[in-house]
Amino acid sequence: MAKLFSPITFKSMTLKNRIVMSPMCMYSSDNKDGKVTPFHMTHYISRAVGQVGLIIIEATAVEPAGRITSGDLGIWNDEHIDGLKDLVNQLHEFGTKAGIQLAHAGRKAQDEEVIYAPSALSFNEKSKEPTALDTPSIQKVVEAFGSAAKRSEQAGFDMVEIHAAHGYLINQFLSPLSNRRTDEYGGDRNNRFRLLREVVEVVKQNFSGAIFVRISADEYHPDGNTLGDFLFYSQQLKDLGVDLIDCSSGGVVPTKINVYPGYQIKQCETIKQEVNIPTGAVGLITTGIQAEEILQNNRADLIFIGRSLLKNPYWAKAAADELGYTIEPPKQYIRGWN
Ligand SMILES: Cc1cc2nc3c(=O)[nH]c(=O)nc-3n(C[C@H](O)[C@H](O)[C@H](O)COP(=O)(O)O)c2cc1C
């Protein structure tokens, strides 16, 4: 049996296969109110029809100031729950589990007048200078993640992913490149990890399903977090009860990244082996054979697919064909599937 099409369980969530739709912002909340639109329904449901095991809804802002753009999805208000619930119910119709990525953009928010970060350091020369969060404001951010987790539960999500990667707010706290604080949220790695620890704890209090955390496990900068730091963070996350580390990279500071097939798998494999925690591999994984190799060699437990699923909602079917494996279509498609 192809491992790519074998089930796996995290807490009470059993996935029918190892294929995950990687969170991808669609900037399509057209009324700038963070609500789900018909586009989101079509976009995500087609990938569920295409037999993806788990769909993680794009970075969804826990507060308005945490949006990358005003078109981002939001979960800062109870009014967001109904649209998300409809979407979750539709994904479940096709046997796909539903996740949501909870996010705060911090200094990478593009449309806000006032933007926030651990320290008053802008991302690059073109971006606004952020306001350094004071301790009460950090607590408000933590509470916003807690309320967002509660709404995720109310909407029926099977899992949430905390976005601690790509140079957004939590990543800004983790990295010495963007965190120059001298209080208990800055300095050594234990202090830089404090915000993520508090966010995981508050999410756990408000959400009963599986919890994944996405990290940028390489900052491509000599003064950034080291692999040793990422192993430390991953061990802390495991001890906190996090179910999986989703291993991405980059985004904290502008740098050139050498991108090639599977370019982020080395860190993913090291974290899995050293910390003994399930990991998700992502980044230019484009074929079933490549995905199967990663799983069979125990380099990751889940395969996150981004752009290949934008190109082809039936990527799972193409991968199964490649591996000589048969997957069941939704009943409506039986006559055209094999
Ligand atoms: C259009 C687009 C939007 C994205 N938005 C997000 C996002 O909301 N959250 C996130 O963690 N990564 C985001 N990413 C990164 C993807 O999840 C994925 O990690 C990346 O594209 C590499 O995987 P791939 O080579 O399979 O595309 C985005 C990528 C694309 C192409």
Side-chain angles (χ1 to χ4, degrees):
M1 186 191 192
K3 198 166 179 188
L4 186 59
F5 295 99
S6 63
I8 185 168
T9 299
F10 299 92
K11 295 207 176 89
S12 59
M13 172 179 81
T14 297
L15 307 180
K16 64 184 168 189
N17 61 45
R18 309 298 182 97
I19 303 169
V20 181
M21 181 174 180
S22 202
M24 283 179 285
C25 276
M26 292 289 111
Y27 309 112
S28 291
S29 193
D30 300 322
N31 293 326
K32 306 183 176 186
D33 55 6
K35 288 189 178 166
V36 170
T37 64
F39 169 79
H40 296 107
M41 297 298 277
T42 309
H43 170 64
Y44 289 113
I45 296 167
S46 8
R47 276 71 193 176
V49 170
Q51 298 304 299
V52 168
L54 168 66
I55 291 179
I56 305 183
I57 307 300
E58 64 203 73
T60 301
V62 299
E63 62 174 38
R67 291 177 291 180
I68 304 167
T69 76
S70 52
D72 286 18
L73 279 181
I75 189 161
W76 63 80
N77 192 309
D78 285 349
E79 286 178 14
H80 292 125
I81 297 170
D82 282 349
L84 291 167
K85 193 188 255 176
D86 288 346
L87 181 50
V88 169
N89 288 341
Q90 285 303 309
L91 302 185
H92 286 167
E93 278 290 308
F94 296 97
T96 295
K97 299 296 180 187
I100 184 165
Q101 191 183 49
L102 303 181
H104 192 303
R107 70 177 183 175
K108 284 181 137 181
Q110 293 169 17
D111 296 344
E112 296 294 310
E113 285 292 311
V114 183
I115 62 173
Y116 301 97
S119 307
L121 295 167
S122 32
F123 175 66
N124 62 25
E125 59 287 350
K126 287 192 197 130
S127 42
K128 278 179 224 134
E129 186 177 304
T131 302
L133 287 163
D134 58 18
T135 313
S137 310
I138 294 176
Q139 285 317 305
K140 284 202 181 112
V141 169
V142 173
E143 281 163 27
F145 271 95
S147 304
K150 188 169 180 195
R151 294 184 190 109
S152 305
E153 179 96 20
Q154 289 166 337
F157 281 103
D158 305 289
M159 59 79 67
V160 301
E161 177 167 277
I162 297 165
H163 199 347
H166 301 169
Y168 296 115
L169 186 69
I170 297 177
N171 196 175
Q172 289 158 30
F173 272 83
L174 285 177
S175 177
L177 300 171
S178 43
N179 183 346
R180 302 280 164 80
R181 298 177 76 92
T182 51
D183 65 357
E184 70 271 32
Y185 288 93
D188 66 15
R189 63 189 182 188
N190 209 22
N191 279 357
R192 300 198 308 273
F193 182 73
R194 191 175 306 276
L195 174 63
L196 179 52
R197 172 190 299 282
E198 291 180 357
V199 167
V200 172
E201 281 169 347
V202 80
V203 167
K204 267 174 65 180
Q205 283 158 21
N206 287 282
F207 185 78
S208 61
I211 300 174
F212 293 4
V213 174
R214 174 167 271 198
I215 60 169
S216 274
D218 193 335
E219 296 185 347
Y220 306 106
H221 192 290
D223 301 327
N225 277 305
T226 62
L227 183 58
D229 293 326
F230 293 117
L231 292 171
F232 170 80
Y233 300 138
S234 301
Q235 183 64 54
Q236 302 287 312
L237 292 169
K238 181 184 173 187
D239 295 346
L240 285 165
V242 164
D243 297 283
L244 176 136
I245 310 284
D246 168 10
C247 300
S248 190
S249 72
V252 176
V253 287
T255 45
K256 189 146 174 44
I257 302 176
N258 178 25
V259 171
Y260 53 86
Y263 65 103
Q264 296 170 148
I265 295 170
K266 273 199 299 279
Q267 294 86 345
C268 173
E269 181 175 9
T270 306
I271 289 170
K272 180 171 168 54
Q273 301 305 335
E274 301 272 324
V275 181
N276 193 20
I277 184 169
T279 56
V282 64
L284 275 188
I285 302 167
T286 53
T287 67
I289 287 171
Q290 195 187 356
E292 188 67 11
E293 181 278 321
I294 295 164
L295 294 170
Q296 290 287 0
N297 283 318
N298 272 323
R299 307 173 77 195
D301 300 84
L302 293 178
I303 303 294
F304 285 57
I305 304 291
R307 288 161 291 182
S308 291
L309 268 170
L310 293 185
K311 275 185 265 198
N312 180 8
Y314 303 102
W315 186 87
K317 163 79 170 125
D321 288 348
E322 226 184 292
L323 293 167
Y325 191 78
T326 306
I327 54 169
E328 292 303 313
K331 65 177 192 279
Q332 296 88 341
Y333 286 16
I334 288 171
R335 289 176 68 184
W337 196 258
N338 287 312

